[in-house]
Amino acid sequence: MLHNEATGPTSVTDTLVRRPFTPSANVAQLKESATIAVSTRAKALKAAGRNIIDLGVGEPDFDTPEFIRRAAQRAIDAGATHYTATEGILPLREAIAAQANTDYRGEGAIAAGDIVVSSGSKQSLFNACFVLFGPGDEVLIPTPSWTSYYEMVGLARATAVPVLGDPANGLKATAEMLAAAATSRTRGVMLNSPNNPTGAVYSRDELQAILTLAEERGWWVLSDEIYRRLSYDRAATSLLELAGSRDRLVVIDGVAKAYAMTGWRIGWAIAPRAVASAMGALQSHTTSNPAAVSQHAALAALTEHAAAERAIAAMVAEFRRRRDAAVALLAEEPRIRYVYPDGAFYLFLNVGGASGAAGEGDAGTVFAQRLLEEREVAAVPGGAFLAPEWLRLAYAAPMESVLAGVRRTIEVFRELAR
Ligand code: PLP
């Protein structure tokens, strides 16, 4: 028996059972998603009656198009309420393959067996990292990048190696920069164009140079193309258009952003057959199939082409209008530098010049706190993307909210820059 001051004698088992929780080594390094943390705080302020303009969330503010909602309702009535194949229903995987083959001209056409549908492209990315990388491996991540990449690589017990992009070129990383950061342990690179958080779009030549380097070095290329359809000045290039073979290429996409279907949770990976099988096996022991009804909704999105293209064109036009208006407004404060947003729905601003923001914490965090608490605008501090002097505003909100958000950002910048 042991003695506990507060409760008196306890047994050894009691002591073990009551031991405070310490996270396992699997998650010891894991950080809460900073983007989700901001939206939680914004929601709490809203619930307390504050009139918050939310430019923090990374999701389209449009409803899922009606033809997709109807397809889901029909699927429910037709009994699509059971388990499906772990890797997704065959017609959906065939539709994904058909769409991908319009881009891919390399060896070995893409078939349904090369595709695993998951509960969002986030799960596809995680599964890909988990089956491809492990202890001792290094994975290059052009930075800034979406916060979850670093954590996913870490969960696979591999090492994420941030490669800082060029501020003079939309914070994009070049093949030369990646080569300079590589070691003998480098196993892969994670690409994302259009990029979250910057909105930058890699040119065909930039991607080709990175792909060539990866091929020479035998690296895996994970290309997250979730924002590909949201590109305003020119079409964004898919790695599938450039690849001569898919031996070391995994392309990730989904319906969340282009079809305004974030809550349906459907994404997918297009991978070499053996990788797809391993990802399917992993999924079979974790989440099984993605929601059956959502798969039928995604099938409509990918096969009812005319309706889908109309819906995407309307959303892209509205995003472009907001982007143009936001950029025009930003011109009023030339001291705020920003990445010119060619795609996605993000504005990435450098607030490092607001020297008053460099108090407690990094400039982006101090700026974001002030913007939220005093001006009721939610934005994500750049630290979430390993760019602490920056701030991300999402223009996935009505025009008047976007403009009010940018205006208040300029006001806070001017206060802090004095
Ligand atoms: N990839 C990037 C770059 C994202 O920004 C996001 C969501 O914000 C995702 C993937 C995840 O999308 P999904 O909703 O398909 O899981």
Side-chain angles (χ1 to χ4, degrees):
M1 295 287 267
L2 301 172
H3 188 80
N4 177 313
E5 299 253 309
T7 57
T10 55
S11 68
V12 172
T13 2
D14 249 11
T15 312
L16 288 177
V17 168
R18 287 162 194 218
R19 200 164 52 183
F21 164 68
T22 45
S24 77
N26 295 331
V27 294
Q29 307 300 321
L30 194 65
K31 292 198 261 334
E32 188 198 358
S33 160
T35 49
I36 290 176
V38 171
S39 75
T40 306
R41 176 72 184 139
K43 279 190 188 118
L45 289 176
K46 269 188 211 164
R50 302 272 296 270
N51 189 14
I52 302 296
I53 294 178
D54 195 350
L55 304 186
V57 288
E59 68 172 327
D61 53 318
F62 307 113
D63 288 334
T64 300
E66 190 179 350
F67 77 95
I68 298 173
R69 303 199 308 265
R70 295 279 165 272
Q73 284 159 350
R74 285 196 303 274
I76 294 176
D77 292 339
T81 55
H82 298 270
Y83 291 133
T84 72
T86 296
E87 62 277 19
I89 56 174
L90 185 60
L92 177 56
R93 287 182 295 124
E94 284 173 345
I96 293 164
Q99 193 184 65
N101 279 321
T102 63
D103 291 322
Y104 182 61
R105 293 277 169 273
E107 283 166 23
I110 297 160
D114 305 326
I115 290 161
V116 183
V117 182
S118 295
S119 302
S121 65
K122 197 177 224 178
Q123 191 191 7
S124 307
L125 283 158
F126 173 80
N127 287 353
C129 287
F130 213 69
V131 307
L132 291 176
F133 308 125
D137 293 345
E138 292 179 358
V139 181
L140 304 177
I141 305 183
T143 295
S145 263
W146 186 43
T147 179
S148 294
Y149 294 164
Y150 309 96
E151 303 295 336
M152 288 173 181
V153 170
L155 282 169
R157 311 236 187 153
T159 303
V161 178
V163 181
L164 286 180
D166 179 3
N169 184 29
L171 289 169
K172 292 185 273 187
T174 60
E176 291 72 31
M177 292 170 167
L178 295 170
T183 72
S184 57
R185 291 177 298 282
T186 304
R187 294 287 173 272
V189 55
M190 294 182 76
L191 301 178
N192 176 222
S193 170
N195 179 268
N196 175 10
T198 63
V201 178
Y202 282 68
S203 72
R204 222 178 157 77
D205 289 349
E206 287 165 339
L207 289 175
Q208 184 63 67
I210 294 172
L211 187 62
T212 304
L213 172 72
E215 278 167 3
E216 281 166 13
R217 306 284 177 98
W219 298 340
W220 286 100
V221 175
L222 267 66
S223 181
D224 176 357
E225 304 187 355
I226 191 77
Y227 294 103
R228 183 169 169 227
R229 297 299 309 269
L230 307 181
S231 181
Y232 306 115
D233 302 318
R234 60 200 146 96
T237 303
S238 167
L239 267 273
L240 288 172
E241 293 171 54
L242 305 175
S245 91
R246 298 184 296 110
D247 289 353
R248 300 220 144 228
L249 175 64
V250 180
V251 172
I252 311 275
D253 204 344
V255 291
K257 314 288 176 168
Y259 302 89
M261 290 178 70
T262 44
W264 300 79
R265 309 308 304 131
I266 295 291
W268 55 82
I270 303 172
R273 187 68 55 100
V275 176
S277 299
M279 290 174 68
L282 171 60
Q283 187 159 295
S284 77
H285 294 296
T286 51
T287 55
S288 293
N289 63 275
V293 175
S294 296
Q295 292 188 61
H296 286 275
L299 179 60
L302 295 195
T303 52
E304 297 186 30
H305 299 293
E309 290 310 311
R310 265 198 308 278
I312 293 174
M315 290 189 271
V316 167
E318 177 58 18
F319 281 136
R320 183 190 286 117
R321 217 168 64 84
R322 296 173 190 171
R323 190 263 326 240
D324 290 345
V327 166
L329 191 52
L330 272 175
E332 290 178 12
E333 181 44 87
R335 288 176 299 173
I336 301 183
R337 289 182 291 119
Y338 63 91
V339 175
Y340 188 79
D342 273 323
F345 35 66
Y346 303 112
L347 267 178
F348 207 49
L349 314 175
N350 187 304
V351 294
S355 52
E360 306 112 52
D362 62 66
T365 303
V366 174
F367 196 104
Q369 275 164 358
R370 180 117 167 202
L371 193 60
L372 180 58
E373 305 294 337
E374 293 180 15
R375 302 299 171 106
E376 306 191 313
V377 177
V380 182
F385 317 101
L386 306 193
E389 295 208 327
W390 297 72
L391 185 77
R392 190 193 78 178
L393 300 181
Y395 48 94
M399 180 69 105
E400 60 278 12
S401 302
V402 172
L403 292 181
V406 173
R407 205 169 290 119
R408 293 181 205 179
T409 301
I410 294 174
E411 287 164 10
V412 170
F413 184 91
R414 286 179 175 158
E415 283 169 18
L416 291 171
R418 258 189 230 131

